[in-house]
Amino acid sequence: MNTERVAHLIRELLTEFGEDPNRQGLLKTPERVAKAYEFLTGGYHQDLKAVINEAVFDSEANNMIVARDIEIYSLCEHHMLPFFGRCHIGYIANKKVLGVSKLARIADYYARRLQIQERLTSQIAREIMHVVDAEGVGVVMECRHLCMMMRGVEKQNSIMSTSSVLGSFHNDPATRMEFMELIGRTMP
Ligand code: ZN
């Protein structure tokens, strides 16, 4: 990303708002916003292989592995406003497991770009399925969307839930139920 060019565009935007980009409080704002966007959209420029960094380990276990309450911060692609919340990931290993921090890194990799929550949820699920060749994967995400809270319908307390279930999590109701119980949800 060309941060200098983005800063220039933000400066133009400030003028469109009716602001004076030369007033003291705003002087460094274009650069700050450009750097913030560089971070928040960093997923576009990251190498997923480097993110996972060979943290895939052999394992004989085939029990369910669950990581709850992974914090998610992303930007909605319709308004470029944040949505944020929690993600719960479960999978059943099939000879390979993933280092536990890598689940969160994969979530960030897909969150740090313009997204819709539904796609983010399924991209995380498909990536884990692919990386460890899992028997099954389940991802549940619950987020608040600032574009709904600050504008539009102004629903301050609504939380949007999305889920993606693959493999045995999709085909076997008992597996899916075990996952939902482990993340503290009852079946809808
Ligand atoms: Zn939106």
Side-chain angles (χ1 to χ4, degrees):
M1 191 175 112
N2 183 338
T3 47
E4 217 167 288
R5 178 162 157 72
V6 174
H8 174 75
L9 293 168
I10 298 297
R11 211 181 132 82
E12 301 276 301
L13 188 61
L14 288 172
T15 307
E16 286 304 316
F17 287 164
E19 268 290 358
D20 169 14
N22 292 316
R23 74 175 171 84
Q24 200 196 16
L26 293 179
L27 272 180
K28 290 189 174 163
T29 296
E31 284 74 24
R32 286 194 204 99
V33 174
K35 280 187 184 143
Y37 273 130
E38 190 169 38
F39 180 81
L40 298 174
T41 63
Y44 290 118
H45 308 290
Q46 243 178 333
D47 174 7
L48 188 61
K49 274 201 183 124
V51 168
I52 295 162
N53 193 21
E54 291 165 15
V56 178
F57 306 103
D58 293 336
S59 168
E60 288 306 306
N62 69 338
N63 47 322
M64 191 179 296
I65 299 163
V66 171
R68 280 175 55 166
D69 294 322
I70 297 167
E71 284 174 73
I72 290 287
Y73 295 94
S74 189
L75 293 170
C76 96
E77 69 181 17
H78 302 128
H79 304 93
M80 291 174 63
L81 286 170
F83 65 92
F84 59 95
R86 289 164 178 210
C87 173
H88 315 290
I89 299 173
Y91 68 98
I92 296 181
N94 181 22
K95 298 199 178 82
K96 284 191 278 183
V97 295
L98 197 57
V100 96
S101 68
K102 300 301 175 187
L103 296 174
R105 298 292 303 276
I106 289 171
D108 284 342
Y109 172 79
Y110 287 107
R112 288 182 187 152
R113 56 188 75 206
L114 302 183
Q115 274 290 10
I116 58 171
Q117 188 180 324
E118 296 89 331
R119 187 173 62 223
L120 176 57
T121 308
S122 74
Q123 282 176 330
I124 294 168
R126 273 186 280 146
E127 192 60 54
I128 293 162
M129 192 76 178
H130 171 73
V131 167
V132 295
D133 189 24
E135 181 194 298
V137 177
V139 176
V140 169
M141 196 176 295
E142 299 157 313
C143 290
R144 294 172 187 273
H145 291 245
L146 285 189
C147 61
M148 280 179 71
M149 296 168 74
M150 296 177 71
R151 57 164 291 288
V153 288
E154 292 183 56
K155 291 281 177 266
Q156 313 297 328
N157 296 308
S158 61
I159 296 177
M160 181 163 147
S161 293
T162 47
S163 66
S164 179
V165 284
L166 303 174
S168 56
F169 283 57
H170 181 265
N171 301 327
D172 180 6
T175 299
R176 191 160 64 238
M177 197 178 299
E178 183 186 348
F179 172 58
M180 291 297 177
E181 277 169 11
L182 283 169
I183 65 169
R185 296 293 173 286
T186 48
M187 286 294 284

